[in-house]
Amino acid sequence: MEKRKKAIAFFKELGFAFDISRFDDRLIAQKLVCLFELRGIDLGYSCSLYVRGPYSPDLTKDLYEFTGEFEKLETGARLSVPEKEVAGELGRIFGLKPVPLEVGATYGYYALRQKSDPLVALRQVRQLKPFYSEAQVAIGISKAKEFLFTPGKEDLEALKAETGIWQRAALKSLKH
């Protein structure tokens, strides 16, 4: 199956009405595909870093060469149940908003592909995207972490220890 068919199936699942003439739609398409790739879903589009974040020249080529298929969401490809779940998760977390997608995909690229420390990845995002506010960067990174990173046992234990005092206080206040 041609790789674009699977990408179109993900766009269709997300309800993404792509329009090649809109810059934001081209940016959203790029970031969606790169986020799926970072999540471990192989769509066949390798992404590398550009000014606006992770970008796939092969995807751009397909978007222009097969514009009609992308705009009409024409595909014979079907997503598996786990793929639909991942698409639903991405849609719930990011929506189809270009700024969080751009910031989140960029952070994910630095953290996962380049294996940067989280603080280093944050600095790299800020350096590459000085035109976004601190709040926009924080929101995009938060969304990337929610979508791309699964907490390990140690992470969960640390969180439990950190929030335990608040949970106990809340339970005590309910008794009074």
Side-chain angles (χ1 to χ4, degrees):
M1 172 189 354
E2 297 106 357
K3 56 188 172 187
R4 74 179 182 280
K5 299 287 186 183
K6 189 73 153 196
I8 293 168
F10 273 102
F11 291 179
K12 190 173 190 172
E13 184 69 23
L14 288 165
F16 176 40
F18 177 76
D19 179 347
I20 193 83
S21 68
R22 291 178 29 96
F23 173 80
D24 278 355
D25 283 6
R26 295 190 308 273
L27 184 138
I28 290 167
Q30 287 286 340
K31 303 321 166 212
L32 290 174
V33 166
C34 291
L35 281 164
F36 285 129
E37 291 278 346
L38 288 167
R39 179 71 183 258
I41 295 173
D42 183 11
L43 296 176
Y45 293 106
S46 62
C47 298
S48 50
L49 203 57
Y50 287 78
V51 174
R52 296 304 295 254
Y55 171 83
S56 172
D58 288 343
L59 177 60
T60 294
K61 181 178 176 282
D62 281 356
L63 290 171
Y64 280 98
E65 190 172 333
F66 303 100
T67 299
E69 290 178 33
F70 279 97
E71 290 185 338
K72 294 174 187 159
L73 299 174
E74 290 176 353
T75 183
R78 300 274 183 255
L79 300 181
S80 67
V81 170
E83 288 171 334
K84 285 183 178 188
E85 288 172 0
V86 170
E89 193 177 337
L90 187 145
R92 178 184 57 77
I93 293 168
F94 284 98
L96 295 172
K97 297 179 175 98
V99 174
L101 285 166
E102 181 179 346
V103 171
T106 304
Y107 178 82
Y109 186 88
Y110 282 130
L112 296 174
R113 285 282 156 83
Q114 294 188 345
K115 304 200 183 316
S116 294
D117 174 82
L119 289 176
V120 171
L122 167 62
R123 281 194 298 270
Q124 290 170 311
V125 169
R126 284 186 183 151
Q127 187 175 27
L128 187 65
K129 305 193 171 303
F131 41 88
Y132 288 133
S133 71
E134 290 290 321
Q136 289 172 310
V137 170
I139 289 167
I141 289 174
S142 175
K143 290 177 180 295
K145 287 180 176 183
E146 185 178 351
F147 180 68
L148 295 171
F149 301 100
T150 304
K153 186 176 180 179
E154 290 176 10
D155 299 321
L156 293 173
E157 289 299 321
L159 183 62
K160 191 175 182 181
E162 186 178 319
T163 61
I165 192 168
W166 298 107
Q167 290 174 343
R168 288 188 295 279
L171 290 173
K172 274 187 179 180
S173 72
L174 291 174
K175 291 179 184 177
H176 296 291

